[in-house]
Amino acid sequence: MTSFDSSPQLNVWRALLALAVVFVMLATTGWTAIRSHREASPLQASLSAWQRGTLDGRDLPDAESPPQRLAAFFASLTDRQRTRLAHRYALAVGNMNGAPVKLRYRANRIALKQQSAHERERMRDERLSANGRHEAGRRMHRFDMLAAKRRHILAFDPEGNGRVAEAFGSLDKAERVSVVVPGVDTDLLNFQRTNRRYSAPVGMAESLYDAERAASPGTRTAVIAWADYTAPAGLGLDSATALRAEQGSVRLNALVRSLPGDSTVALVCHSYGSVVCGVAASSLPSRVTDIAVAGSPGMRAESAGQLGTTARVWAMRDADDWVQDVPYLEVGGLGHGADPVSSEFGARILSAADARGHSGYFEPGTDSLSNFAEIGIGAYGSVRCAREDDACLTGLSDSAAA
């Protein structure tokens, strides 16, 4: 789930904040996380093979090269050569910023089928516990669903709980792209849901894509369900700090900079995803015109001005979203700062009158979804402010509000 859905866990959050000084003291006395040495992950293995590889006697460029350089490399290849690379280095190509998006879709489909076969073998591995074999089956079914031809998987990493991103609409042709950045407990297995569909990244993105097309059929739009960062699990220490957000912000910035064409970009950030967007804000390129947050525990800033972005900053919270009870402060690295819907923060406050709970912002028919869609297509004059005085539109030029 992409939300702090279990409100009793708020006590955990408060306790973590109350113990901030203790955590700082532990940090200064050398308290460190120990990471065990393991063999390379599938993605790391694919990247290592790419780094050593050649194509028709030609060295392959560094996988960490700027997107523009990688785009130029792929543009110099024939279709057959690109296809060979997708098959030979599926995970590397599928996650490579700068590779053509359609090639990434193809490579990730190959990688998903390979990982599905791997999980199918694990299901029959008697060395695993019954729970382990059951988990392998769940992963296999998820990989099979994501590998369907109709799906456009822009990123895929099976390691651990997994990371994934999916595009709706044509990124190559889009005039405007919206990126949905979800919050805690987001991983491969709950990337999409049957029950509570619109609380998961796929449902969020599909709902937003449909709303944008309905609002402006003539605008070429695309929406990305972006779960390509390691989100915190539940309301533990990770969700109270910016560590995951800092890591995710690097990946979010890389995604935005690698998108094809010259489309503008709106970030739609839910719950802890708003922390990711807040941390990323100052480093994002100017093509990011809007950052809209919902159900935010804070953006690691005391004001919209502190975010260091030229993008318009929008915020909303529905009346019964329990996240409003989270302490809006930052002490010793714990907590995420000021409340984005407070008047002091300075964001443009949007209506979320019809949304219910912490996970209801993308439900069809809600003001919140409609507002996200209007921002996504650039129809600022059509957004509904939280107050009837249209305060959230203050300062927008006639051209911006058209």
Side-chain angles (χ1 to χ4, degrees), residues 8-19:
Q9 288 182 299
L10 284 172
N11 292 327
V12 177
W13 180 279
R14 294 191 178 100
L16 287 169
L17 290 172
L19 291 172

Side-chain angles (χ1 to χ4, degrees), residues 347-402:
R348 301 174 183 275
I349 310 304
L350 297 162
S351 171
D354 298 330
R356 295 290 180 270
H358 188 63
S359 300
Y361 295 98
F362 293 84
E363 290 282 346
T366 57
D367 275 4
S368 49
L369 177 64
S370 176
N371 279 330
F372 286 149
E374 301 293 0
I375 290 169
I377 63 175
Y380 304 108
S382 298
V383 302
R384 295 189 62 182
C385 300
R387 298 199 302 266
E388 292 185 0
D389 58 6
D390 290 338
C392 72
L393 300 179
T394 301
L396 287 181
S397 66
D398 290 340
S399 59

Side-chain angles (χ1 to χ4, degrees), residues 44 69 83 89 148 176 211 254 261 283 339 369 374 388:
Q44 290 170 334
R69 183 185 172 195
T83 298
Y89 311 105
R176 309 188 70 92
S283 62
D339 183 353
L369 177 64
E374 301 293 0
E388 292 185 0

Side-chain angles (χ1 to χ4, degrees), residues 250-337:
V250 175
R251 302 182 67 83
L252 180 59
N253 189 27
L255 165 79
V256 171
R257 292 181 180 275
S258 70
L259 291 175
D262 57 1
S263 59
T264 60
V265 177
L267 302 182
V268 180
C269 321
H270 178 243
S271 195
Y272 188 87
S274 68
V275 187
V276 178
C277 293
V279 173
S282 62
S283 62
L284 294 168
S286 59
R287 72 189 301 180
V288 177
T289 57
D290 298 273
I291 300 174
V293 304
S296 174
M299 299 181 72
R300 303 298 292 190
E302 293 306 308
S303 68
Q306 281 190 7
L307 292 173
T309 178
T310 58
R312 286 170 285 269
V313 180
W314 310 80
M316 68 171 75
R317 186 174 63 222
D318 67 55
D320 60 352
D321 186 339
W322 62 259
V323 80
Q324 63 191 302
D325 296 324
V326 167
Y328 282 96
L329 49 86
E330 188 273 323
V331 180
L334 295 178
H336 302 304

Side-chain angles (χ1 to χ4, degrees), residues 140-178:
M140 181 197 72
H141 288 300
R142 172 63 69 218
F143 296 162
D144 286 344
M145 291 179 67
L146 293 173
K149 287 186 177 181
R150 64 178 177 82
R151 305 192 71 164
H152 298 153
I153 305 303
L154 187 63
F156 166 60
D157 182 359
E159 179 70 3
N161 290 333
R163 297 194 295 252
V164 62
E166 182 172 8
F168 299 88
S170 173
L171 292 176
D172 285 319
K173 297 178 181 179
E175 303 169 79
R176 309 188 70 92
V177 175
S178 297

Side-chain angles (χ1 to χ4, degrees), residues 41-115:
S41 70
L43 176 55
Q44 290 170 334
S46 184
L47 287 168
S48 294
W50 171 279
Q51 295 296 90
R52 299 189 304 268
T54 60
L55 179 66
D56 296 334
R58 178 182 177 183
D59 289 337
L60 301 178
D62 189 329
E64 298 298 322
S65 298
Q68 296 80 2
R69 183 185 172 195
L70 290 169
F73 166 74
F74 282 104
S76 72
L77 305 180
T78 65
D79 287 342
R80 179 171 295 183
Q81 287 174 319
R82 286 191 285 266
T83 298
R84 282 165 56 191
L85 291 177
H87 281 271
R88 192 180 299 171
Y89 311 105
L91 278 169
V93 173
N95 290 275
M96 194 171 292
N97 291 319
V101 291
K102 290 182 180 178
L103 186 67
R104 291 179 68 169
Y105 301 156
R106 188 186 314 169
N108 282 321
R109 189 171 298 117
I110 294 167
L112 282 159
K113 290 179 179 179
Q114 291 172 344
Q115 292 301 312

